[in-house]
Every structure is written in C-alpha cells, then in structure tokens.
Amino acid sequence: MSVLEQAIALLSEMVAHPTVSDRSNRALAEMLAERLAGQGARVSLFPDASGDKLNLVASFGPKAEGGLMLSGHLDVVPPGEGWSSDPFRLRRAEGRFYGRGTCDMKGFNAACVAMAPRFAGCGAPVHLVFTHDEEVGCLGARALAEILVREGPRPALAIIGEPTRMRVIEGHKGCHEYTTRFTGRDGHGSAPDRGINAAQAAARFALRLEALAQELKAMRPEGVFDPPWATISVGRIAAGTARNVIAGQAEVEWEMRPVDAAEASHVKRQLAAYEAAERAAHPGLGIEAEVFGEVAGLEPRAANAARDLLLGIVGGAPGLVPFGTEAGIWQALGMDAVLCGPGDIAQAHRPDEYLEERQLAACLDMLDGLAARL
C-alpha cells in the first residue's frame, strides 16, 4: 500500500471518531498513540482534569532540545445540518474526501502518522503533537505549553497543519472568545419597571460591541491582514423564557480578533467602563464575563527558520490569514512557527466539508521533503 493510500485509510478511521469538542477524544488519541508507538515513537498522553480529553505527543529521533514540531488538533466542530452523507463516515468522490474534520484538520494529522516511519530515521528530534479542544479556545495547546515549559524538551520549529492549501503562512490575528452573562430580576411583563430586564441589557451590550467594532476599524484602516483591522463579532444571544415575562437571565457569546495586544486592551478598558455605567444606571443588574479563550496571534517576524525551511520545499511566497490557530502559543514558547497544511479553510466548519486528494498528496510530499532535510 502506498503512503497516500495509508494516509487515506487512516483518515477514514479518524473521521469515524466523532471528536466534537463536547465529547471525549480518548478513543482516537489512544488509537493513534498505539500506532505511533508501533512505529518507534516515544509516546506520551496528557489528560485534562476530566480524563476524557487527551493531548498526544509522539517523539522520534534523539532526546534533545530543538528539532521540529508538527502540530495538529484532534477535535472538530459539530456537523450541523445540510450534509449529503454521514459526516462521520468518509465519502470518496471525484478526487475529494468528504467528512467532518477532513480538512480541519484530520487530513494533516493522518499524513503525519502515515509518514512516521520516515521521521524515525531523522537525525534531529521530530515531535508529532495532537491536541484537544482547539476549536473551543485552544485549551489543549495551552495546557501542553505549560508542560513543555516545566519538563521540555522544547522544539525549535513548529509547523501547524491548518488548511492553507499548502501555502506557507507566517502570521495571523489573535482570537479572544467570551460569554458575557446578565442577571436581572424577572416578573410579569405588564409591570416592566418592577423588574430588571436582562434581555434588554444584553441588547444594549451587543450594540456597544458593534460600536467598538467600528472604533477598531478606524484605529487600523490599512494593514497586512484581510480585513486589516481588529474585528468583533456577536455569535449568539440568549435570553428570557416567554414574551410576557421580564427576562431575568441573558447571555451574549462574542469574539474579538485583535491584530495586537493594544487593541484587545482598548476593548477591555472600554467595556469595563461601560459595565460600570450599566450597573450604576440599573441597580441590581449583574454582569459577569467568562473568558472562553484568549489566544495570541502569530506575529510575522523577519527571522523565522520554520518559514524559510518550508519555502525551500514548497516554494511560493509567505502569506497571512485572518483566522486563529495554536501557532501563537508555540511562538510564545520561543519556537519559529508557521502554518502549512492541506485543504482550504473555506471548506472548514461547513456541511460537506472536504479535502482534495491532490492536497493530501502535496502534504505528504512536503513531509517527505522535511524528513530529507532533517
């Protein structure tokens, strides 16, 4: 069986594991750990507090600092509606592989595992790192980063295989995710002044976020990203129980994608002042914000050995993307980091997500080139 067919077979197995972030990834992580150990890797599994989620680190080559990390996440977003076939059963048609997670990002992970025997012969350390809960705040990568700081070894280079159509990406924005909750006082809708309407508080908050989004646009009208400014997006608002009941509870789920830390700090200062004014104007109103994740962006840097190494293999010019990844976490540990992986981000998080076979083949060629240079 060719390496490509091995990767396809493994991708089929991986897609069959419905590793949506609200479910365990243990079965998939343990299956991959067993396979990689059989290929000569030193394998470690790191569970979260619940024991249901695992980070996997499989290392080849010498036990030393430096070397290369190939980084992917095991979790996927919920399949949602509108699929033409079972999202957790790989469907092969017209040069494409359909299934949840095929491009984001089990295709890259499958390619790495299929190429593991090549990495076993490298003279430099090579680490395959597969994390949990990237889609809900990079929780696994953040936990693993703490372990690497304490225990090492710390790789020198990191390639994160997010779908970039095999283009080398050297920078992206940060991704900060929050849920802001409002607690009021419910009551009969016929006497609104006797209650504290949390739904209306949530609506006012959403409008304040919209105004802040316009401020951010004015702060950076030009830049290297598309769009160049930091963005704010409201994803979900939930409130109340019935139209004739004053809403006692409400929440707003929202995100911010800053270009730099100064923009995130500006938004936080403005919201702190806004919330203080809301509490003063509406005594008894409770406002609490839960930080779902604050993931740093990937900063483009003049010196980046990972970028230069990959450009020597796949060619082209480095680019930038607006979506967030785990790359900023690895960069903060001192690694030179880039994105490069099979598939198109336009297919991620959608019904009938797919990965083109030629993209998977190109990823295997890239990994083969890396092994040769290492």
Side-chain angles (χ1 to χ4, degrees):
M1 186 185 295
S2 69
V3 177
L4 176 58
E5 288 301 323
Q6 291 177 45
I8 294 169
L10 182 56
L11 178 58
S12 180
E13 289 186 62
M14 295 183 71
V15 169
H17 287 266
T19 50
V20 179
S21 298
D22 62 356
R23 309 180 196 180
S24 174
N25 75 344
R26 175 176 284 276
L28 176 55
E30 290 179 342
M31 182 270 283
L32 294 175
E34 181 179 359
R35 184 168 304 208
L36 288 163
Q39 294 168 330
R42 303 181 300 277
V43 178
S44 298
L45 292 170
F46 301 96
D48 71 348
S50 73
D52 292 330
K53 306 290 187 71
L54 301 175
N55 288 324
L56 186 159
V57 178
S59 302
F60 298 92
K63 295 181 181 180
E65 293 289 315
L68 172 68
M69 169 194 288
L70 296 169
S71 172
H73 61 82
L74 297 178
D75 60 315
V76 299
V77 297
E81 302 295 328
W83 285 79
S84 301
S85 57
D86 185 345
F88 296 115
R89 183 176 182 180
L90 193 73
R91 177 168 64 91
R92 189 173 184 174
E94 299 180 344
R96 295 174 176 178
F97 305 110
Y98 291 88
R100 176 54 86 217
T102 48
C103 81
D104 187 18
M105 54 184 297
K106 290 180 176 179
F108 175 77
N109 299 341
C112 289
V113 177
M115 286 296 298
R118 287 280 280 125
F119 298 131
C122 291
V126 179
H127 308 277
L128 306 188
V129 173
F130 302 140
T131 59
H132 65 82
D133 289 328
E134 187 270 351
E135 297 288 5
V136 291
C138 297
L139 306 183
R142 287 156 59 190
L144 185 59
E146 296 178 4
I147 295 171
L148 292 179
V149 169
R150 290 196 312 267
E151 303 176 11
R154 218 176 302 185
L157 313 178
I159 297 171
I160 299 87
E162 292 280 0
T164 68
R165 296 201 63 80
M166 296 307 300
R167 184 184 180 190
V168 178
I169 300 298
E170 64 177 343
H172 65 67
K173 297 177 182 179
C175 184
H176 296 197
E177 298 177 293
Y178 307 93
T179 298
T180 301
R181 296 185 174 88
F182 302 85
T183 303
R185 184 170 61 247
D186 58 13
H188 200 284
S190 64
D193 292 344
R194 296 179 184 175
I196 301 173
N197 197 314
Q200 292 177 343
R204 292 191 297 270
F205 181 76
L207 291 175
R208 182 66 185 117
L209 290 178
E210 182 180 4
L212 282 170
Q214 296 304 312
E215 290 180 27
L216 292 174
K217 186 180 293 188
M219 289 169 64
R220 191 185 295 270
E222 298 180 355
V224 295
F225 290 101
D226 180 19
W229 47 80
T231 60
I232 293 177
S233 176
V234 175
R236 177 178 172 271
I237 300 176
T241 57
R243 64 175 60 88
N244 61 348
V245 178
I246 299 168
Q249 303 289 329
E251 63 181 29
V252 178
E253 296 181 3
W254 61 283
E255 66 158 32
M256 167 174 54
R257 296 183 183 256
V259 177
D260 61 31
E263 292 159 333
S265 297
H266 171 76
V267 170
K268 290 179 180 181
R269 287 194 304 270
Q270 293 297 314
L271 287 181
Y274 170 81
E275 290 169 10
E278 276 286 280
R279 293 186 183 99
H282 306 278
L285 176 66
I287 307 175
E288 292 186 1
E290 178 185 359
V291 180
F292 208 63
E294 293 182 333
V295 180
L298 175 62
E299 177 188 344
R301 295 178 178 174
N304 186 330
R307 174 198 62 207
D308 298 341
L309 174 63
L310 269 189
L311 288 176
I313 297 172
V314 303
L320 305 169
V321 292
F323 58 86
T325 77
E326 297 170 333
I329 296 172
W330 308 135
Q331 187 180 61
L333 295 186
M335 303 180 206
D336 286 354
V338 290
L339 313 182
C340 186
D344 192 327
I345 194 65
Q347 302 305 323
H349 299 197
R350 298 181 61 185
D352 287 341
E353 175 184 349
Y354 68 82
L355 173 66
E356 295 171 291
E357 182 172 338
R358 62 183 177 179
Q359 283 283 303
L360 184 59
C363 182
L364 291 167
D365 288 343
M366 180 268 284
L367 295 173
D368 187 60
L370 282 173
R373 284 160 175 75
L374 293 171

